[in-house]
Amino acid sequence: MTTDTLWQHLPNLLVILSIFTVGVASPGPATLMIMGTAMGRGRAPAVALSCGVVLGSMVWASIAALGFVAALKASATLFLALKMAGGLYLIFLAARSARSAFTAGPAATPKSAGTGSLKRCFAQGLLLHLTNPKAPLVWLATLSVGVGETAPAAFLMTVILICAFVAMTVFVGYAYLFSTQTASRFYLSIRRPIDALLGVLFGAAAVKILTYRPSW
């Protein structure tokens, strides 16, 4: 992509980055999971989880850029299946947090996070975002508002790569912030109430996804 093309679409890029950054930084299932993982298990698992979330987001971004989201919009069955998968996964997360809240004893420490655990955290982040039915629609709306129909494919790919960098910066920033000794001590001191709160928030997110009705 030439410099002239980039400057021509720079206003669109700024619009997209503004929308995307606000969306990424806002509280949601992904940020809640990253914060809880960082406080309860340490920095490395939270960073691995963040990488999985970002990869899932970029997968949906690429699908939206290629126009395949139109197939999702056209198929009520496919959208329902994705919505059910996302809702059930969030219910699973809510149940796991609730079980932890009612279980006495110390939480997992960062030292317990081995290679297998990091892989599981990565897979959890990826699954969390791939089963979110709103993710492809948000990307479709974002690209439509900020790009339109005249932007070249190279610009779309540039946008996706820049958004991936922004997402990594935000999520890894959360992972570092909430994995500090102060945050960890705070979590350990009131672990059960925090896990109970996470369970409620994951449950609320599940209800929101399961009852979500697109406006098309």
Side-chain angles (χ1 to χ4, degrees), residues 15-215:
V15 170
I16 292 173
L17 288 179
S18 298
I19 296 173
F20 183 78
T21 303
V22 171
V24 166
S26 300
T31 53
L32 290 174
M33 182 180 282
I34 291 169
M35 292 174 186
T37 301
M39 290 188 292
R41 302 180 61 187
R43 183 170 299 167
V47 171
L49 181 68
S50 301
C51 292
V53 171
V54 172
L55 178 59
S57 180
M58 295 308 105
V59 168
W60 282 128
S62 301
I63 290 175
L66 293 173
F68 292 155
V69 176
L72 183 64
K73 294 176 65 175
S75 174
T77 301
L78 179 60
F79 183 82
L80 178 61
L82 183 61
K83 186 169 72 168
M84 292 297 296
L88 291 175
Y89 185 56
L90 284 171
I91 290 174
F92 164 75
L93 295 177
R96 189 177 65 177
S97 295
R99 183 180 62 184
S100 177
F102 286 100
T103 301
T109 62
K111 293 181 181 179
S112 66
T115 302
S117 178
L118 295 181
K119 290 180 179 179
R120 284 194 296 272
C121 287
F122 176 84
Q124 287 173 352
L126 179 61
L127 182 62
L128 178 67
H129 219 73
L130 289 181
T131 56
N132 184 354
K134 297 177 67 174
L137 303 181
V138 170
W139 264 111
L140 181 62
T142 301
L143 294 178
S144 298
V145 170
V147 177
E149 300 177 353
T150 60
F155 178 73
L156 289 175
M157 293 301 105
T158 301
V159 167
I160 291 173
L161 290 175
I162 294 176
C163 286
F165 175 78
V166 171
M168 281 299 298
T169 301
V170 172
F171 288 142
V172 172
Y174 279 140
Y176 271 74
L177 176 63
F178 286 91
S179 62
T180 60
Q181 291 185 356
T182 301
S184 297
R185 285 196 297 267
F186 175 73
Y187 172 78
L188 291 174
S189 66
I190 54 170
R191 176 186 66 83
R192 296 175 71 178
I194 289 179
D195 286 343
L197 177 61
L198 288 175
V200 171
L201 294 175
F202 280 132
V207 172
K208 186 174 181 179
I209 283 183
L210 290 172
T211 58
Y212 175 68
R213 295 181 180 275
S215 58

